Structure formats: structure tokens, C-alpha cells
Amino acid sequence: MLTDTGLLGTAPVVNALQASRSPLQRVVDSGLLRCAVPRHLGGNGGGLDDLAHAAGLLQRQDPAAAAVLWAQRLAIEALVQTANVGLREFWLPDFLSGTRAATLPPGGRELAAENTGRGWLLSGVFHGVPNLPWEGFSLVAPVRLGDGNAGWVLLRSEEDGLSVLPPPLGHALASLRLNRVFFREDEWLGAHGLADLLAPVAEALAPCRPRTPALNIGTP
């Protein structure tokens, strides 16, 4: 069972889940967003074994919340691992508290980038994406720049050209379309190798991963 710290304890997860409304709030109440995040960054400590065990419990009890945990917790890990300290300090507290929703595409190609000379315009489509509340969210996305370099960026849903396509009836996962979304260099999370740093958390969260084409940061 989980305590309110997200570590193993005696309080049933279901108590927190039943007391909440949205899937994101249910995940916040479970405490798992802070599990295996270093304490000096706002986490509750613990290890990946704790996170993996609790993620399996959550998947069995609340699949909708489990998909949100996968998205939000991996976005958190991207900020934990990035060398962009300014980006981490600005967004990590909101991601940990659930004040700001965050997500990753569980499959799909890298975004294409067009160099304007003053920045990049990103375009592409992602399918089967969880955790997209109407009031706004942040997107951790893979991108391939025009010079061939690949990496990861953090984008806001409020940017012009980023739209959510309604999910099919009865489905919780939606698609994202990016049409020439402007990207600023201060939103750069890291090079392609960032995926390797996310892989241990992705593996711990494997039971929660949306059932869509594989993202190359964890189990297939």
C-alpha cells in the first residue's frame, strides 16, 4: 500500500483516489509524483523499486490515473535530468504539485523543425497522448532540427499552432497536432541522450504506459 508520501506504507491507495476528481488530482493525492525524486528538488526520496511497486498497484486500481502518472512523472524526470537549470527551477514545482499538467507522446516520430533564422518552427502529430486538461499543459517532445541534431524540448499548450484533436468516443487518449509552433532555445531540455536518462523511470512505470506505439525510453 501507499502512504501520502508515495512510499510503501499502510494507507490504501484507493482512499486517496476515491476522495479526488480528475485523474491528475488522483495521482497527486497518491503521492507518486514525488516518489524517487531527490529531496533537494522537492521529492520524497525513495527508490525506483518503490515507484515500480506502487505503479503496478495504481494500474490495477485506477487505469486512467495510471496513464496520467506515466505522463506526468516522466515529464518530471525530464526536468530532474536536464542540464537546463532555469527550465527546471521554473516548471518543476508546478509539475510536482500537479498545478501544471505535463505529458509525453507515448509514440510517434520526432517533430520536424524549420529554422527561421530567429528560432525554430516545429511541426508534427502525436497520437494516444494522456493528461491533456483543457486549462493547459506542458509537452515534453522529441525533435529533429534542420541540421540533423535530435533532442528534446518543453512546449506549452498555449503556443500558437498547438492543438488537441478530440479523442474517439469512449477513449481517454487524444492526439496533438503541431503546426509551425515557435520554439525558443531556452525551452531546450537536452540532446537525444536524455532518453537514456529517462529509461529507468520509464521502466519502473511500464505497467502504466499507454498502450500505443513504443517511445524509445523504456520497455518496448
Side-chain angles (χ1 to χ4, degrees), residues 139-170:
L139 170 68
V140 174
V143 62
R144 183 168 295 276
L145 303 179
D147 58 8
N149 289 331
W152 294 80
V153 297
L154 184 66
L155 302 173
R156 300 182 310 124
S157 63
E158 294 87 349
E159 298 288 352
D160 291 340
L162 195 157
S163 56
V164 179
L165 306 180
L169 186 63

Side-chain angles (χ1 to χ4, degrees), residues 176-194:
L176 293 178
R177 176 176 292 155
L178 290 86
N179 182 24
R180 294 168 60 86
V181 174
F182 185 71
F183 159 65
R184 296 178 293 271
E185 290 186 0
D186 59 1
E187 296 168 320
W188 180 257
L189 281 165
H192 183 71
L194 180 65

Side-chain angles (χ1 to χ4, degrees), residues 86-140:
L87 204 60
R88 178 195 303 134
E89 291 180 345
F90 187 81
W91 285 114
L92 185 57
D94 286 349
F95 287 11
L96 287 169
S97 67
T99 305
R100 177 77 173 183
T103 193
L104 283 82
R109 292 185 173 184
E110 300 158 325
L111 295 173
E114 174 188 345
N115 189 351
T116 67
R118 295 177 296 174
W120 299 87
L121 297 177
L122 309 182
S123 299
V125 177
F126 296 122
H127 298 292
V129 184
N131 203 21
L132 306 176
W134 66 268
E135 63 268 27
F137 58 89
S138 294
L139 170 68
V140 174

Side-chain angles (χ1 to χ4, degrees), residues 8-52:
L8 298 182
T10 58
V13 177
V14 70
N15 288 349
L17 301 178
Q18 290 173 341
S20 327
R21 291 175 292 179
S22 72
L24 177 55
Q25 188 58 51
R26 297 199 296 271
V27 172
V28 171
D29 291 347
S30 77
L32 290 177
L33 294 181
R34 299 180 187 271
C35 181
V37 174
R39 293 183 184 275
H40 73 277
L41 293 179
N44 291 328
L48 291 178
D49 288 344
D50 298 319
L51 182 60

